[in-house]
């Protein structure tokens, strides 16, 4: 995984793994807002976003508007942004979609992260103001990302590529079964044409035998309607009805059941979950960059 923890690599994490895995860590902050950015990573990218949002907040503050307060809930399942009193979720940022996280060293209250939106697939930069916990929140998001990636691997993420290959094999097998069915139909058509030819070339006035024709091995040629005919047994009783083929398990030319990789074990997943796993794998593969570089914001970006 291409993670780039670019600062204080020997820094210990802020919380126990159990706290982030079984619960969540709450933080209070002010939410300056979010804005679309062109790249998923980079100090220059977040610098421009912070400048833009702080300037917008400066204008709103001059108009008498206050910066809204929010509660951040950080866990291995993501970063939730809630309204503090009603606990209404305003944004839910999944960790595998967060690619960059940083706190401003010139203004120690400002921290930010970049997250890929789940609906528009655009990269959005979220900017917050926390008087005392900006750096701690940044490290907590990094720790949660690390734990979430490990949990993803333990829950089957290692087998994503294998399942992709199995899905490709399944498609190939389906194509072969279709081809096999077409060949069976052609063989049946040839047998029917041969039977018609034999009847038309029989001597005039002769009565064709009522018993079904047989091949060179004295075998009755297969007919889809043959199982429906009722042939009495020597003692005059009717044999038990043969179940309809529609209720039988479909088998290929060699008598084997068609292979279905999504039903071959508890470790496999249906296609909708598979696509989710693919998305998570790509997100974790990109990694999370924790950046502590100075933003060097202009004097215009004074505190709101």
């Amino acid at each position: 995984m291409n993670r780039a923890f670019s600062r204080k690599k020997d820094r210990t994490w802020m919380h126990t793994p159990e706290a982030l895995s079984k619960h969540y860590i709450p933080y209070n902050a002010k939410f300056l807002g979010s804005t679309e950015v062109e790249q998923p990573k980079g100090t220059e990218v977040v610098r421009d976003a912070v400048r833009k949002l702080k300037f917008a907040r400066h204008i709103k503050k001059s108009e008498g508007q206050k910066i809204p307060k929010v509660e951040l809930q950080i866990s291995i399942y993501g970063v939730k942004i809630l309204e503090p009193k009603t606990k209404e979720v305003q944004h839910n940022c999944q960790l595998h979609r967060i690619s960059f996280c940083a706190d401003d060293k010139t203004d120690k209250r400002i921290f930010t992260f970049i997250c890929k939106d789940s609906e528009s697939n655009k990269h959005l930069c979220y900017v917050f103001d926390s008087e005392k916990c900006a750096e701690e929140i940044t490290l907590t998001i990094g720790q949660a990302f690390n734990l979430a990636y490990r949990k993803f691997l333990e829950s089957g993420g290692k087998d994503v590529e294998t399942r992709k290959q199995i899905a490709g094999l399944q498609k190939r097998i389906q194509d072969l079964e279709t081809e096999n069915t077409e060949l069976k139909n052609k063989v049946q058509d040839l047998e029917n044409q041969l039977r018609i030819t034999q009847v038309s070339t029989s001597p005039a006035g002769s009565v064709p035998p009522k018993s079904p024709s047989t091949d060179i091995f004295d075998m009755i040629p297969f007919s889809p309607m043959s199982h429906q005919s009722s042939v009495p047994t020597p003692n005059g009783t009717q044999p038990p009805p043969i179940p309809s083929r529609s209720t039988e398990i479909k088998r290929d030319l060699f008598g084997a059941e068609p292979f279905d990789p999504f039903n071959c074990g508890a470790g496999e997943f249906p296609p909708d979950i598979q696509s989710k796993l693919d998305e998570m794998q790509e997100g974790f593969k990109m990694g999370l960059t924790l950046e502590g570089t100075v933003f060097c914001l202009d004097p215009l970006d004074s505190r709101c």
Side-chain angles (χ1 to χ4, degrees), residues 66-286:
K66 295 183 178 180
I67 304 176
K69 296 180 180 180
V70 295
E71 178 182 321
L72 299 178
Q73 294 183 355
I74 304 173
S75 70
I76 63 171
Y77 300 104
V79 179
K80 290 184 179 181
I81 305 173
L82 297 85
E83 204 285 325
K85 295 182 179 180
T86 65
K87 302 300 180 181
E88 179 183 357
V89 178
Q90 299 177 349
H91 303 277
N92 187 9
C93 303
Q94 295 172 306
L95 286 176
H96 67 273
R97 291 180 171 273
I98 299 177
S99 54
F100 192 89
C101 190
D103 53 90
D104 184 357
K105 288 308 173 186
T106 59
D107 186 349
K108 295 183 179 296
R109 304 190 316 179
I110 300 298
F111 70 95
T112 178
F113 62 82
I114 298 177
C115 181
K116 189 176 183 181
D117 184 67
S118 59
E119 296 182 359
S120 64
N121 282 329
K122 295 178 180 179
H123 296 288
L124 302 178
C125 183
Y126 295 80
V127 180
F128 303 86
D129 182 324
S130 177
E131 185 174 356
K132 299 179 180 179
C133 302
E135 182 179 11
E136 180 178 336
I137 293 173
T138 299
L139 290 173
T140 301
I141 293 176
Q143 182 184 10
F145 184 94
N146 187 36
L147 293 172
Y149 178 63
R150 278 198 238 163
K151 183 176 179 65
F152 173 73
L153 293 180
E154 293 171 357
S155 63
K158 295 179 180 179
D159 300 326
V160 171
E161 291 298 330
T162 302
R163 283 195 290 274
K164 286 182 179 179
Q165 296 177 5
I166 291 176
L169 290 174
Q170 182 196 31
K171 179 63 169 60
R172 177 57 179 160
I173 291 173
Q174 290 176 344
D175 293 340
L176 290 174
E177 289 179 344
T178 301
E179 183 179 348
N180 184 27
T181 301
E182 293 175 354
L183 289 174
K184 284 183 177 180
N185 292 335
K186 289 181 180 180
V187 170
Q188 185 62 47
D189 291 340
L190 291 174
E191 289 181 348
N192 293 337
Q193 292 177 11
L194 178 61
R195 190 177 297 109
I196 294 173
T197 302
Q198 291 176 344
V199 172
S200 62
T201 57
S202 60
S206 62
V207 179
K210 295 182 179 180
S211 60
S213 59
T214 59
D215 58 19
I216 59 175
F217 302 104
D218 287 336
M219 299 293 291
I220 300 177
F222 171 77
S223 172
M225 302 299 294
S226 61
H227 69 281
Q228 297 179 357
S229 61
S230 177
V231 181
T233 57
N235 59 7
T237 61
Q238 294 290 338
I242 301 176
S244 172
R245 293 183 61 86
S246 61
T247 61
E248 298 177 358
I249 299 177
K250 295 182 179 180
R251 300 178 182 274
D252 60 18
L253 184 62
F254 305 101
E257 296 181 13
F259 173 68
D260 184 355
F262 299 117
N263 292 321
C264 63
E268 303 300 335
F269 299 92
D272 56 337
I273 299 181
Q274 178 64 49
S275 62
K276 181 66 175 178
L277 287 173
D278 292 341
E279 174 199 320
M280 293 180 67
Q281 184 190 44
E282 292 301 319
F284 283 124
K285 185 177 180 181
M286 177 180 290

